[in-house]
Amino acid sequence: MYLTASGATAGGGKTISLQTDGNGSADYEIGGLENEAYIVIAAASGVILVYDQQTEWAEGTPVDLSGGSAGDISFDFGALEMHTLSGTLSGLADENTRVRVYVWDEASWVTGSETVLGNQTFSVELPAGNYKLGVSAEGYAEAYHSDTNAMVYDRPDATPISLDEDADMGTLSLSQGYSISGTVQDSAGALLAGISVEVYSENGVCANWVSDSSGAYEIAGLPNGEYTVIASNDEGMYENQVEIASADLMLDIALGVILRGSVSDAAFTMVKLFEAENGDFVAEAPVEDGAYIFPGLELGDYAVVAVTESGVEKALSVSITDIENMMDFN
């Protein structure tokens, strides 16, 4: 159990830990505080109480220490009305897979979780409130409960569950998702070990993997969607946009330099890259959300050409001298 006294207006405060006795009780004293008002919080087993017997910070009663020590500030977890949030997991191929079901309330910080093996039922006891539910298992896409009883894969899409009585969420089906795999190499084609490959969705880091001794990596458990893949070392970097569409994706990563930029005219839908010296074609990249990117390049001089669907072109010259370079079409 933890207790925290946090300054109600000026910030600051102090946290202490407590060991309860055989009856689940503990006496406490938080010293060394300033003569000001504090919000006092007690936390035990994922449940948070704010003095006086509230579960949300905004509803807490400040404790005024302007006159010195406060009186008896008590918390009674036993007086909370608790409810059970339960359900059944499905879709797991191995009944020995460890699955963590976790629940959180963004307003009150109350959390709860249970770990089960395989396709079993779960049960989490919580005070009344509005909660969101997530499920995490190795090799499976991290998933969140939605109001359609289908699982979604972006945390912000999770739907609050109003818990004012026991609630059975029914069957929650997990998907193994898909993988991005391949090798990591330098600009000369040598395989690289120990390179961290990170995969981001639009809402943050999804997963990462360090390439093994043969330069191979594999990031599994990804749902359908668009991702940014990033890898780097001291000599080069890689960044690219990819899409998973109901299939595993093979992606070999060549670390080098990056050329990126913006395209202000929406008529330009493609950017092509040519070597400046001999005009040889190097690569092409689509313009997405007004931007383009060329990963894995070598240092040198290039011609960058923006192209419309009707074939109108706009060309710029760029000299690539750093690991990351910018060239905008304004």
Side-chain angles (χ1 to χ4, degrees), residues 78-90:
L80 285 175
E81 181 181 355
M82 303 295 286
H83 303 293
T84 299
L85 188 64
S86 60
T88 303
L89 300 171
S90 71

Side-chain angles (χ1 to χ4, degrees), residues 60-107:
T61 301
V63 177
D64 187 4
L65 296 184
S66 59
S69 299
D72 183 20
I73 306 299
S74 299
F75 299 88
D76 187 358
F77 285 89
L80 285 175
E81 181 181 355
M82 303 295 286
H83 303 293
T84 299
L85 188 64
S86 60
T88 303
L89 300 171
S90 71
L92 294 150
D94 186 349
E95 291 296 335
N96 292 316
T97 300
R98 291 176 60 86
V99 186
R100 179 173 176 263
V101 180
Y102 56 96
V103 183
W104 75 98
D105 183 336
E106 294 176 338

Side-chain angles (χ1 to χ4, degrees), residues 29-288:
E29 179 177 317
I30 304 177
L33 299 175
E34 302 293 334
N35 294 333
E36 60 177 81
Y38 288 86
I39 298 293
V40 185
I41 304 166
S45 301
V47 177
I48 293 177
L49 274 180
V50 184
Y51 181 77
D52 182 22
Q53 287 297 114
Q54 303 298 319
T55 57
E56 295 189 17
W57 170 281
E59 297 178 359
T61 301
V63 177
D64 187 4
L65 296 184
S66 59
S69 299
D72 183 20
I73 306 299
S74 299
F75 299 88
D76 187 358
F77 285 89
L80 285 175
E81 181 181 355
M82 303 295 286
H83 303 293
T84 299
L85 188 64
S86 60
T88 303
L89 300 171
S90 71
L92 294 150
D94 186 349
E95 291 296 335
N96 292 316
T97 300
R98 291 176 60 86
V99 186
R100 179 173 176 263
V101 180
Y102 56 96
V103 183
W104 75 98
D105 183 336
E106 294 176 338
S108 68
W109 310 330
V110 173
T111 60
S113 66
E114 184 181 26
T115 299
V116 299
L117 291 178
N119 298 307
Q120 295 189 18
T121 59
F122 64 87
S123 177
V124 182
E125 192 174 34
L126 300 156
N130 292 314
Y131 296 94
K132 294 183 178 182
L133 182 149
V135 182
S136 174
E138 184 176 356
Y140 290 78
E142 187 129 352
Y144 308 93
H145 179 267
S146 74
D147 55 4
T148 62
N149 282 336
M151 303 300 282
V152 295
Y153 299 99
D154 283 326
R155 188 180 178 102
D157 292 337
T159 303
I161 303 164
S162 181
L163 189 66
D164 52 15
E165 60 182 2
D166 292 351
D168 185 348
M169 307 311 298
T171 300
L172 305 181
S173 181
L174 299 184
S175 168
Q176 281 189 288
Y178 304 97
S179 67
I180 299 176
S181 63
T183 60
V184 183
Q185 53 191 279
D186 62 19
S187 58
L191 296 174
L192 299 174
I195 303 298
S196 177
V197 180
E198 297 179 343
V199 174
Y200 293 76
S201 70
E202 62 180 6
N203 295 309
V205 176
C206 288
N208 65 77
W209 190 273
V210 176
S211 60
D212 63 19
S213 59
S214 63
Y217 76 94
E218 180 179 14
I219 299 175
L222 300 173
N224 286 332
E226 295 182 351
Y227 296 89
T228 300
V229 181
I230 296 177
S232 66
N233 63 8
D234 292 339
E235 299 178 358
M237 64 182 300
Y238 177 92
E239 180 177 333
N240 203 7
Q241 308 292 324
V242 300
E243 181 178 5
I244 291 180
S246 301
D248 294 337
L249 178 65
M250 292 293 297
L251 181 68
D252 290 330
I253 294 173
L255 298 186
V257 298
I258 282 180
L259 173 64
R260 71 169 84 233
S262 62
V263 181
S264 58
D265 189 340
F268 292 104
T269 59
M270 184 71 66
V271 177
K272 297 183 178 182
L273 192 66
F274 301 87
E275 291 185 3
E277 182 177 357
N278 52 29
D280 287 348
F281 174 78
V282 177
E284 64 181 25
V287 177
E288 297 179 339

